[in-house]
Amino acid sequence: MSVRVVTDTAADLPPALAASRQIETVPLTVRFGAESYVSGVELDADAFWEKLRTSNEAPATAAPSAGDFQRKYEELIGQGATGIVSLHLSSKLSATYQSASVAANEISGTPIEVFDTLSVSAGTGLLALRAADMADAGASGKDIVAELGALRDRVRLFGVIDTLEYLRLGGRIGGAQALLGTMLKMKPVIALHDGVVEPAGRVRTRAKALDHLAGIVREHKDEIDRLIVLNGAAPDLDAFLPLLDGVVEVSPSDVWTLGPIVGAHGGPGVIGVVFIASSSGGPGGGAS
């Protein structure tokens, strides 16, 4: 592979999958009060959810520095990379894309394409896998980014969360702010649209929220090639998956664990669905 693919830990790519596809991952940091952990290195997903359960501190996250990216890029160039595609979570949610861009500008001689996915978690992860497919086939960095640009507004991400409080505390609540005053005894359904969080429904019980989420999948079933289900320490994942039977096939490898970075803002109990639609338009997309 002459062009190498770089993403970040907010993409929630399963580590074994990232390694098998030669996708490099630059970690963000998660903090609990005065304690800081490098996500995916010092704190994996399982340890994060246990830490969240027992900590009295609300978690916060921080982007990698430009130096972190520059070291990664130089490492790959030293390994023989003739180009790099670096794709990252929404610039409207994190400074990660900006750090990568600054680092890319410091390096000459090897083309580095930095791409804003306007997504997060498996939305970014699926685009990283597509980039790796193209790199394996010998595509140039510019061609890969052109393809990612065509796919970006077809990424759909929807989720059921137990509370908006983690999004509010982290400053990532976006358009879902409108739900705050109406959430007493309600369960929010959210979407990521144009790089920010937006409301996608509200229902009175968790069971109805999961049925609503499954209904979104049913509505889009003819557009779905591969569906990723996100699990953020949700006790009722086994109740949700059967709702997709006969709608779309979900293999065990298509259930990804929500990691520390997105988990810090979603809180425990998140169940999400992510796919790349066969056509653009509709809610939950990337660019508009």
Side-chain angles (χ1 to χ4, degrees), residues 135-156:
D136 283 344
S140 69
K142 287 189 180 299
D143 286 344
I144 293 171
V145 165
E147 173 71 3
L148 297 180
L151 292 175
R152 179 169 55 187
D153 69 345
R154 290 159 45 190
V155 175
R156 306 285 184 264

Side-chain angles (χ1 to χ4, degrees), residues 32 36 67 78 104 108 115 156 198 208 212 249:
F32 287 87
S36 293
S108 60
F115 183 78
R156 306 285 184 264
E198 298 287 354
K208 289 182 178 178
H212 183 80
E249 183 177 349

Side-chain angles (χ1 to χ4, degrees), residues 2-256:
S2 57
V3 173
R4 296 297 302 272
V5 176
V6 176
T7 188
D8 54 70
T9 45
D12 288 331
L13 275 169
L17 176 59
S20 71
R21 302 309 312 281
Q22 291 189 282
I23 298 172
E24 295 290 323
T25 304
V26 176
L28 283 79
T29 299
V30 61
R31 299 191 180 105
F32 287 87
E35 299 177 344
S36 293
Y37 303 91
V38 179
S39 66
V41 178
E42 299 172 334
L43 193 72
D44 65 13
D46 290 340
F48 165 76
W49 290 113
E50 177 62 20
K51 180 76 173 175
L52 184 64
R53 187 182 67 82
T54 59
S55 177
N56 293 323
E57 300 279 357
T61 59
S65 68
D68 292 332
F69 280 108
Q70 187 168 345
R71 284 188 288 275
K72 177 57 68 177
Y73 297 156
E74 290 173 345
E75 173 190 333
L76 295 177
I77 292 167
Q79 293 173 0
T82 59
I84 295 170
V85 173
S86 194
L87 64 157
H88 301 288
L89 79 158
S90 172
S91 63
K92 299 179 182 180
L93 298 175
S94 169
T96 301
Y97 169 80
Q98 287 85 347
S99 292
S101 297
V102 170
N105 288 333
E106 292 296 317
I107 294 176
S108 60
T110 300
I112 300 174
E113 307 287 343
V114 182
F115 183 78
D116 184 357
T117 67
L118 289 177
S119 193
V120 74
S121 191
T124 298
L126 286 175
L127 291 178
L129 291 172
R130 176 58 179 155
D133 286 342
M134 294 186 69
D136 283 344
S140 69
K142 287 189 180 299
D143 286 344
I144 293 171
V145 165
E147 173 71 3
L148 297 180
L151 292 175
R152 179 169 55 187
D153 69 345
R154 290 159 45 190
V155 175
R156 306 285 184 264
L157 188 156
F158 300 91
V160 170
I161 60 177
D162 263 354
T163 174
L164 294 168
E165 188 64 10
Y166 289 90
L167 282 171
R168 185 188 69 81
L169 288 172
R172 270 74 169 186
I173 195 165
Q177 176 82 27
L179 294 177
L180 280 175
T182 64
M183 290 318 300
L184 185 63
K185 297 183 179 178
M186 303 287 282
K187 293 297 180 183
V189 183
I190 61 170
L192 199 71
H193 181 61
D194 196 24
V196 297
V197 178
E198 298 287 354
R202 54 183 185 268
V203 293
R204 290 196 175 277
T205 68
R206 172 84 175 184
K208 289 182 178 178
L210 295 180
D211 189 62
H212 183 80
L213 188 63
I216 291 172
V217 177
R218 287 192 292 270
E219 178 185 347
H220 290 276
K221 67 177 183 178
D222 292 336
E223 298 181 272
I224 298 172
D225 177 49
R226 181 185 185 186
L227 182 79
I228 301 299
V229 175
L230 296 172
N231 174 28
D236 48 3
L237 177 69
D238 289 341
F240 174 69
L241 291 175
L243 299 178
L244 304 179
D245 288 349
V247 180
V248 61
E249 183 177 349
V250 180
S251 70
S253 64
D254 293 330
V255 179
W256 294 7

